Amino acid sequence: MENYPGRKNIAIFISGRGSNLKSLIRNSKQKNSLFKISLVISNNPEAVGLKYATKSKIKNYGIKYINNSYFEKESLKILKKYDLDLLCLAGFMKILSGNFIKNFSKPILNVHPSLLPKYKGLNTHLRAIKNKDKFTGATIHKVNEKLDSGKIILQKKVRISKKDDVKSLEKKVLKIEHEIYPKAIIKFLSNL
Ligand code: GRF
C-alpha cells in the first residue's frame, strides 16, 4: 500500500468476525484513500478478522486475553511503536479505561449499532424491536471514558419493518456500519 503526504495512519482493534475491518481495508486500498491501516490488534488471537489483515499484509497481533489491564498494557506497547493518527474500534467488545485513553493520547473512534444516545451497551437490536421503534441505525462516535457517550461523528438510520427480527436487523444495520465508518474516518481526519 503506497504512502503519500497527508495520508494518515490508523490502527484498528477488533474482537471477532471483522466485517467492519474488511470494509475499512477495502476503503483504504482505494486510490488516494486518506488513511492507511498500519496495524490491527485483537484481544482474541482466534479472531477471524485477523485473517483479513494477514491477507492484506497488514501487521496484526492477537493478544491472549488475561484481563483488561494486561490487554491495555500490551497493546499500548505495540501502538507506541507506530506513528499513528487515530485508533478505530471495529467490533471491539472490551471497554477501554480512562487510563488507556489518556496514555494513548490520540483520538479513538467506535462504531455502535444504534442511533446513539439511544441504546448504549449491548443487545441494541432486541431493545429497539421490543420498544417498537420505527427506526434504528448505526453511529460512529469518539471514545471517551463513558460507554458509548463520546461526540457523534456520523449517524445513519434504517427503518425497522414489522417482519424484522434481531438477525435481519443486525444485517441491515451492519450494512450501514460498513457504509458510514470509512466516511466518518475521512470526515474526522480531514478536520484534524
Ligand atoms: C458490529 O455490529 C459492531 O457495531 C458491534 O459488533 C459488531 C461487529 O461486527 N460493536 P464485525 O466484527 O465488524 O463484523
Side-chain angles (χ1 to χ4, degrees):
M1 265 171 275
E2 64 174 314
N3 223 341
Y4 40 82
R7 196 168 192 211
K8 309 283 189 191
N9 290 320
I10 71 171
I12 301 188
F13 276 13
I14 63 165
S15 292
R17 175 179 56 184
S19 70
N20 276 287
L21 170 66
K22 198 176 174 188
S23 126
L24 292 175
I25 292 176
R26 196 180 313 123
N27 209 276
S28 73
K29 283 182 176 169
Q30 277 171 15
K31 200 166 177 261
N32 297 331
S33 168
L34 194 59
F35 63 90
K36 176 191 170 181
I37 302 173
S38 303
L39 81 148
V40 175
I41 299 180
S42 174
N43 60 302
N44 167 18
E46 307 301 322
V48 173
L50 289 176
K51 296 200 175 86
Y52 301 131
T54 304
K55 220 170 146 188
S56 294
K57 300 189 170 57
I58 298 169
K59 282 255 186 217
N60 61 90
Y61 305 81
I63 298 175
K64 194 171 177 308
Y65 187 77
I66 294 170
N67 56 41
N68 255 4
S69 91
Y70 176 79
F71 173 80
E72 292 190 354
K73 201 171 86 212
E74 292 304 304
S75 59
L76 270 173
K77 271 194 231 161
I78 301 169
L79 291 166
K80 297 274 182 199
K81 290 185 191 156
Y82 292 78
D83 183 22
L84 296 166
D85 299 290
L86 180 69
L87 167 62
C88 294
L89 312 182
F92 178 67
M93 303 310 281
K94 299 286 175 199
I95 298 168
L96 293 172
S97 69
N99 194 40
F100 177 94
I101 296 167
K102 204 174 103 211
N103 265 305
F104 177 57
S105 79
K106 299 284 168 63
I108 307 173
L109 300 185
N110 182 40
V111 54
H112 185 75
S114 79
L115 294 172
L116 288 173
K118 247 186 162 181
Y119 310 132
K120 296 172 183 174
L122 297 173
N123 303 318
T124 56
H125 305 315
L126 185 64
R127 286 148 79 196
I129 290 170
K130 275 195 175 157
N131 282 341
K132 299 193 173 11
D133 290 352
K134 296 228 168 357
F135 291 94
T136 186
T139 304
I140 312 299
H141 66 94
K142 259 195 95 177
V143 171
N144 62 17
E145 320 79 86
K146 282 202 199 140
L147 180 68
D148 301 327
S149 297
K151 184 176 180 245
I152 291 170
I153 311 298
L154 208 59
Q155 244 176 359
K156 189 170 174 180
K157 59 182 184 178
V158 66
R159 186 178 286 281
I160 304 177
S161 79
K162 290 220 167 64
K163 284 189 234 148
D164 272 322
D165 56 15
V166 169
K167 221 171 151 198
S168 66
L169 207 51
E170 193 203 328
K171 207 170 157 193
K172 276 187 192 174
V173 173
L174 201 59
K175 203 171 156 207
I176 287 181
E177 294 179 28
H178 298 165
E179 182 191 326
I180 66 169
Y181 211 169
K183 284 187 185 158
I185 292 173
I186 290 165
K187 182 179 172 195
F188 187 78
L189 291 173
S190 310
N191 289 321
L192 274 186

